Amino acid sequence: MAELQEVQITEEKPLLPGQTPEVAKEAELAARILLDQGQTHSVETPYGSVTFTVYGTPKPKRPAILTYHDVGLNYKSCFQSLFQFGDMQEIIQNFVRVHVDAPGMEEGAPVFPVGYQYPSLDQLADMIPCILQYLNFSTIIGIGVGAGAYILSRYALNHQDTVEGLVLINIDPNAKGWMDWAAHKLTGLTSSISEMILGHLFSQEELSRNSELIQKYRNIIARAPNLDNIELYWNSYNNRRDLNLERGGDITLKCPVMLVVGDQAPHEDAVVECNSKLDPTQTSFLKMADSGGQPQLTQPGKLTEAIKYFLQGMGYMASSCMTRLSRSRTASLTSAASIDGSRSRSRTMSQSSESGTLSSGPPGHTMEVSC
Ligand code: BEZ
């Protein structure tokens, strides 16, 4: 047995001269802990360099979870509350997480020189293959918010085979119409860039209530040393092209999608419209009560529950991993859940109200959730 262990270690990683197997193991463990703390990398792409932070150790046959944040935020200010939420740990321990920072949004990013041509959202989407190639991942499950949700959708439209699922929070797949532009220009006359971005992220009700969370994000954005870069990302978002999604048409998302929006969030109508353009057999729609504009910040527990459920529908969460609440919610599901990646595509329920009662429907129906 001892001999067998020694052979395995020698085969996996040759020992350095003078290194004992114990020391090698400790080094491996230290490297793994480092990975779990997040390691930041940058890759060069045809549109400039992009930075991303990787958490977790690779699991065979599993996609990476790849996140993309909204305007005014970076991966930490957008996703830390969700990914560090207690119940989220049982989900993320099964996946490597790749958190992309849009160019110039990473912590400590220098301000781009005057005249710098910031990538369009389509070009930001075209940077993602360079990241996946660098990390040697062939498929992802994407989680995006606002501009990040648009970027991941554009990526999925161009690379259908590499996207296993998408969680899209506050997506607006439409280009700005002239009415939106007029309103945007008018607001720009009286508001600062940071207030305009806050109006994109949060509901008017939240902004006037001015809770601690709003004060925190107002400070983060208004005092950001890279505010000029943020403005460039904001401009790219406002100049986005229409995704031209069409239910039953050629341009549609083929993977399972979970659309999420807070009730009274600024993008509620856009998400509802997006839902109407996607394949109902592949799409779940989650309208979250009491969450405002950023459900991943204000309701990480509810969102974690929904993500678990979504992944279970894709066969990636064993039901033993579900909390008691979600087990009772999902008791009537027909999905075959397994932790090893064998998948089934039946997500068949609708849910109503805070109490979380679920009723099973015919296979492949859109999930309407209001929790
Ligand atoms: C993660 O574990 O994926 C994570 C940790 C801290 C911030 C964001 C994400």
Side-chain angles (χ1 to χ4, degrees):
M1 189 64 189
E3 204 181 294
L4 179 64
Q5 278 176 351
E6 214 174 292
V7 169
Q8 279 179 339
I9 290 165
T10 314
E11 275 184 0
E12 278 176 8
K13 256 192 198 115
L15 295 175
L16 296 171
Q19 195 180 33
T20 64
E22 288 71 29
V23 170
K25 258 191 176 167
E26 265 173 32
E28 206 178 310
L29 190 65
R32 201 166 292 159
I33 290 168
L34 207 62
L35 278 175
D36 281 331
Q37 286 173 344
Q39 267 196 342
T40 299
H41 308 258
S42 291
V43 286
E44 282 306 319
T45 80
Y47 308 104
S49 100
V50 62
T51 300
F52 50 94
T53 306
V54 183
Y55 290 83
T57 38
K59 308 278 181 303
K61 292 199 227 146
R62 288 211 159 223
I65 290 180
L66 184 139
T67 71
Y68 219 117
H69 63 86
D70 203 353
V71 177
L73 308 174
N74 58 26
Y75 92 88
K76 263 196 194 154
S77 54
C78 192
F79 290 110
Q80 186 157 341
S81 310
L82 177 65
F83 280 78
Q84 291 194 331
F85 186 76
D87 287 352
M88 191 68 169
Q89 304 316 305
E90 66 191 70
I91 299 179
I92 61 177
Q93 71 187 4
N94 296 307
F95 296 92
V96 167
R97 288 88 66 196
V98 181
H99 302 286
V100 183
D101 277 320
M105 306 304 139
E106 66 277 13
E107 273 175 15
V111 173
F112 290 121
V114 177
Y116 174 77
Q117 180 68 46
Y118 198 80
S120 67
L121 294 199
D122 291 0
Q123 290 171 333
L124 293 175
D126 283 342
M127 291 175 160
I128 294 174
C130 302
I131 299 173
L132 298 184
Q133 203 176 10
Y134 176 89
L135 293 172
N136 204 17
F137 269 101
S138 48
T139 63
I140 61 160
I141 293 170
I143 303 182
V145 183
Y150 178 104
I151 291 165
L152 291 180
S153 302
R154 174 66 76 197
Y155 171 75
L157 290 173
N158 293 342
H159 303 270
Q160 303 273 5
D161 294 345
T162 70
V163 183
E164 296 196 24
L166 284 174
V167 176
L168 302 175
I169 303 170
N170 297 338
I171 183 160
D172 186 343
N174 300 322
K176 266 185 185 296
W178 68 267
M179 289 276 278
D180 299 318
W181 267 115
H184 180 74
K185 288 283 169 216
L186 272 178
T187 319
L189 293 177
T190 51
S191 306
S192 61
I193 287 291
S194 58
E195 283 305 312
M196 290 200 344
I197 294 172
L198 284 164
H200 158 80
L201 296 173
F202 297 100
S203 69
Q204 280 313 311
E205 204 264 327
E206 282 177 294
L207 291 173
S208 41
R209 217 174 341 118
N210 201 22
S211 63
E212 266 182 33
L213 181 94
I214 299 296
Q215 289 172 37
K216 176 179 160 189
Y217 279 84
R218 185 168 268 135
N219 267 335
I220 288 178
I221 298 170
R223 298 191 183 164
N226 61 340
L227 189 56
D228 289 350
N229 296 351
I230 295 175
E231 184 173 355
L232 296 176
Y233 187 23
W234 176 233
N235 291 341
S236 288
Y237 178 67
N238 288 314
N239 287 316
R240 69 192 178 277
R241 290 195 299 141
D242 212 299
L243 282 180
N244 283 321
L245 298 172
E246 196 189 341
R247 181 171 283 181
D250 288 342
I251 307 176
T252 196
L253 297 170
K254 305 245 162 62
C255 62
V257 177
M258 182 165 77
L259 297 173
V260 184
V261 69
D263 64 344
Q264 297 174 357
H267 306 284
E268 193 177 341
D269 292 348
V271 182
V272 169
E273 194 194 329
C274 181
N275 185 39
S276 74
K277 291 181 178 169
L278 293 177
D279 176 356
T281 66
Q282 293 282 51
T283 310
S284 311
F285 178 43
L286 180 79
K287 191 154 104 180
M288 231 180 237
D290 307 322
S291 74
Q294 298 294 309
Q296 79 286 3
L297 299 180
T298 53
Q299 296 288 0
K302 284 181 186 175
L303 191 56
T304 297
E305 196 87 0
I307 291 173
K308 264 187 205 175
Y309 188 65
F310 181 65
L311 292 174
Q312 196 204 24
M314 295 168 65
Y316 278 126
M317 292 292 297
S319 48
S320 62
C321 286
M322 307 292 275
T323 60
R324 200 167 52 79
L325 178 62
S326 23
R327 262 203 301 279
S328 66
R329 281 179 179 176
T330 57
S332 58
L333 270 180
T334 53
S335 306
S338 81
I339 202 80
D340 67 2
S342 58
R343 272 157 282 157
S344 144
R345 286 281 157 86
S346 311
R347 291 164 303 107
T348 62
M349 32 57 110
S350 61
Q351 178 185 16
S352 62
S353 85
E354 191 75 57
S355 67
T357 45
L358 272 177
S359 58
S360 61
H365 272 208
T366 297
M367 177 173 75
E368 290 266 357
V369 183
S370 174
C371 48

